[in-house]
């Protein structure tokens, strides 16, 4: 029974979404040390570099959270100092500038930070809405491990409705992003074909009917992967049974676009997607959080958080931070007593109303390994 369950974990999804397989086969020593309670270094560092955005996505601002009252942004000097610290601490995982709180490329220090990190031999990642993914920055980011563009629509009309509703209805930002995907993919093929270039597609009742259109567009534009996922919303994303049936059919058809150079794939299993679309939010039904050992989150306020949902608590920057990078080093916070004390007091079942899907999978896997003493 245990072996069968382990096999099921290791068969989940294809690369790069086969998280459990990667942990056990590529980071087994790290996994063993975490289970023993030893201090380890993170595999992913999420740097939320700013709270300013040039879009207004319905599942983000006004959906997942409200506009930040202060619109904070990390100064370039702090970003570059962080890169120095990551290099000195011998971080082997990925440092990612993400658009979870705002568009990272609005902060000019991000481009310099990515280039600086690449030059220091660090693995760098970027998630952007694609508006600022223009040729003038390609040389600085081409050495990254991956770049991902959040597209989430197949036409200008739907894009403007879901993501760009502060602009005129005939705005052509969507077309501009498709052009940017094409330009960057051409540059990638010439200078660093190992870089993973992906396109994200958040599933909504207003856009799922454009999945095939978007898949065809981004494949022709040169993206390596289009990935489909459900947004993180407090009330969930609910589809009717008829919509779920139609979505499953469309996702299956989208997969037919996959070949040796391109993949169309959901980040979750069919069962997980259907369950969430019926209103069943992922819950932290495990006794201990292990994911904080793998992921580090630095907010635009300089605070160090256990996870991104700590940062977003109830749509505001709240939750008890583990420290602040303006007056403490990354290493001191990560290995410090404050972080240890706060983490020990977090009981996911009682404390965490929501756990993101990556962290949920990591936590379930670790709790399984710990409980059944697999390792």
């Amino acid at each position: 029974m245990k072996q069968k369950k382990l096999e099921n974990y290791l068969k989940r999804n294809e690369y790069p979404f086969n998280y459990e397989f990667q942990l056990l086969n590529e980071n087994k020593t790290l996994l063993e040390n975490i289970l023993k309670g030893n201090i380890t270094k993170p595999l992913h560092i999420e740097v939320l570099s700013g709270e300013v955005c040039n879009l207004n996505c319905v599942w983000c601002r006004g959906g997942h959270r409200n506009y930040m009252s202060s619109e904070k942004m990390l100064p370039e000097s702090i970003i570059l100092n962080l890169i120095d610290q990551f290099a000195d601490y011998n971080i082997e995982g990925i440092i990612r500038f993400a658009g979870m709180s705002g568009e990272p490329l609005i902060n000019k220090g991000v481009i310099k930070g990515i280039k600086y990190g690449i030059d220091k031999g660090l693995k760098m990642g970027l998630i952007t809405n694609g508006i600022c993914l223009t040729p003038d920055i390609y040389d600085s980011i081409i050495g990254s491990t991956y770049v991902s563009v959040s597209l989430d629509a197949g036409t200008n009309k739907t894009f403007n409705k879901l993501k760009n509703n502060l602009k005129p209805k005939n705005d052509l930002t969507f077309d501009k992003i498709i052009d940017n995907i094409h330009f960057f993919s051409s540059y990638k093929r010439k200078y660093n074909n190992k870089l993973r270039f992906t396109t994200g597609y958040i599933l909504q009742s207003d856009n799922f009917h454009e999945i095939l259109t978007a898949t065809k567009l981004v494949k022709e534009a040169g993206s390596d992967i289009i990935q489909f996922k459900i947004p993180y919303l407090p009330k969930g994303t609910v589809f009717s049974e008829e919509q779920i049936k139609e979505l499953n059919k469309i996702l299956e058809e989208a997969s037919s676009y996959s070949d040796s150079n391109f993949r169309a794939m959901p980040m979750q299993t069919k069962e997980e997607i259907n369950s969430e679309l019926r209103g069943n939010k992922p819950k932290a039904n495990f006794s201990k959080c292990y994911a904080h050992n793998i992921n580090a989150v630095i907010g635009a306020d300089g605070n160090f958080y256990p996870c991104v949902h700590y940062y977003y608590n109830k749509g505001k920057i709240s939750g008890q931070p583990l420290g602040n990078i303006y007056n403490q080093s990354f290493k001191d916070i990560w290995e410090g007593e404050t972080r240890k004390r706060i983490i020990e007091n977090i009981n996911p079942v009682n404390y965490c109303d929501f756990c993101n899907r990556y962290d949920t999978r990591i936590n379930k896997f670790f709790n399984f390994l710990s409980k059944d003493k697999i390792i």
Side-chain angles (χ1 to χ4, degrees):
M1 178 66 75
K2 293 179 182 179
Q3 185 61 32
K4 182 64 176 177
K5 196 169 182 179
L6 177 62
E7 290 174 2
N8 289 337
Y9 273 115
L10 300 182
K11 290 178 181 178
R12 290 199 57 177
N13 296 83
E14 299 176 41
Y15 181 85
F17 307 130
N18 55 343
Y19 309 128
E20 297 86 352
F21 180 87
Q22 291 180 55
L23 265 175
L24 191 58
N25 287 273
E26 299 173 16
N27 298 282
K28 189 174 181 180
T29 301
L30 173 78
L31 190 153
E32 291 172 339
N33 279 316
I34 289 173
L35 288 171
K36 291 175 183 177
N38 298 332
I39 293 176
T40 57
K41 297 174 184 178
L43 285 178
H44 306 103
I45 300 177
E46 189 108 347
V47 181
L48 307 176
S49 55
E51 296 166 354
V52 180
C53 195
N54 46 10
L55 288 177
N56 189 47
C57 304
V58 297
W59 50 80
C60 185
R61 295 171 182 262
H64 188 108
R65 61 177 175 80
N66 297 321
Y67 273 95
M68 303 295 188
S69 59
S70 59
E71 300 283 298
K72 293 183 176 67
M73 189 174 289
L74 290 177
E76 179 184 313
S77 59
I78 292 294
I79 290 174
L80 297 179
N81 180 260
L82 278 173
I83 297 298
D84 279 330
Q85 292 187 52
F86 298 151
D88 292 343
Y89 196 37
N90 296 316
I91 293 295
E92 297 180 356
I94 292 178
I95 297 103
R96 179 172 81 177
F97 289 93
M100 299 288 285
S101 63
E103 168 53 39
L105 292 181
I106 290 177
N107 186 334
K108 299 305 180 183
V110 167
I111 298 301
K112 293 183 179 180
I114 291 175
K115 181 66 166 63
Y116 192 45
I118 293 168
D119 290 344
K120 282 184 167 288
L122 297 172
K123 298 175 183 176
M124 306 301 295
L126 171 67
I127 296 181
T128 171
N129 61 32
I131 294 174
C132 300
L133 188 64
T134 48
D136 56 300
I137 69 169
Y138 293 173
D139 185 58
S140 296
I141 67 173
I142 195 61
S144 301
T145 300
Y146 66 81
V147 172
S148 183
V149 173
S150 303
L151 187 64
D152 312 314
T155 63
N156 273 294
K157 181 179 179 181
T158 299
F159 182 89
N160 290 338
K161 178 180 180 180
L162 294 178
K163 304 187 67 171
N164 201 29
N165 53 55
L166 297 180
K167 298 283 184 68
K169 291 184 179 180
N170 61 350
D171 185 83
L172 299 179
T173 297
F174 175 83
D175 288 341
K176 177 182 177 181
I177 295 171
I178 293 296
D179 286 342
N180 288 345
I181 291 173
H182 172 74
F183 296 147
F184 184 68
S185 64
S186 297
Y187 193 86
K188 175 188 95 79
R189 285 194 297 271
K190 186 175 182 180
Y191 294 103
N192 181 16
N193 211 32
K194 293 182 179 180
L195 182 152
R196 190 171 77 242
F197 186 32
T198 67
T199 304
Y201 200 100
I202 296 287
L203 297 172
Q204 291 274 285
S205 58
D206 288 319
N207 74 356
F208 79 94
H209 59 285
E210 293 184 355
I211 285 174
L212 298 179
T213 302
T215 301
K216 183 179 179 181
L217 278 172
V218 300
K219 180 177 182 178
E220 291 175 349
S223 180
D224 299 321
I225 299 172
I226 184 169
Q227 56 189 31
F228 307 105
K229 61 181 179 179
I230 302 169
Y232 307 124
L233 290 176
K235 296 180 181 179
T237 302
V238 181
F239 278 32
S240 68
E241 287 301 317
E242 184 177 344
Q243 287 175 320
I244 291 173
K245 184 177 180 180
E246 186 179 356
L247 172 64
N248 289 331
K249 183 179 178 180
I250 292 172
L251 286 175
E252 186 173 346
E253 189 173 348
S255 67
S256 69
Y257 283 83
S258 298
D259 54 32
S260 59
N261 297 312
F262 177 79
R263 284 179 293 163
M265 55 195 301
M267 292 184 69
Q268 300 148 275
T269 65
K270 178 180 177 180
E271 292 72 25
E272 288 169 337
I273 290 174
N274 291 349
S275 177
E276 283 197 48
L277 292 179
R278 291 187 175 106
N280 302 309
K281 286 198 305 179
K283 293 185 178 179
N285 57 349
F286 36 83
S287 59
K288 185 174 181 179
C289 177
Y290 288 92
H292 67 85
N293 295 286
I294 292 175
N295 305 312
V297 179
I298 298 171
D301 52 2
N303 282 335
F304 201 125
Y305 293 93
C307 69
V308 292
H309 294 290
Y310 230 112
Y311 182 78
Y312 293 150
N313 189 19
K314 296 181 181 179
K316 301 176 181 178
I317 300 180
S318 58
Q320 188 174 5
L322 310 180
N324 191 285
I325 58 168
Y326 282 99
N327 49 45
Q328 297 167 275
S329 72
F330 178 89
K331 179 181 179 180
D332 287 346
I333 297 172
W334 185 255
E335 298 184 358
E337 289 300 315
T338 299
R339 175 175 175 266
K340 181 180 179 181
R341 184 181 69 253
I342 292 173
I343 294 299
E344 285 177 349
N345 290 329
I346 295 178
N347 182 326
V349 175
N350 300 326
Y351 185 85
C352 303
D353 178 58
F354 189 86
C355 184
N356 77 52
R357 297 172 192 98
Y358 172 79
D359 287 351
T360 295
R361 282 178 56 178
I362 294 302
N363 280 318
K364 286 183 176 180
F365 187 49
F366 269 101
N367 276 274
F368 160 70
L369 295 175
S370 176
K371 179 181 177 182
D372 292 329
K373 302 188 184 304
I374 302 298
I375 293 181

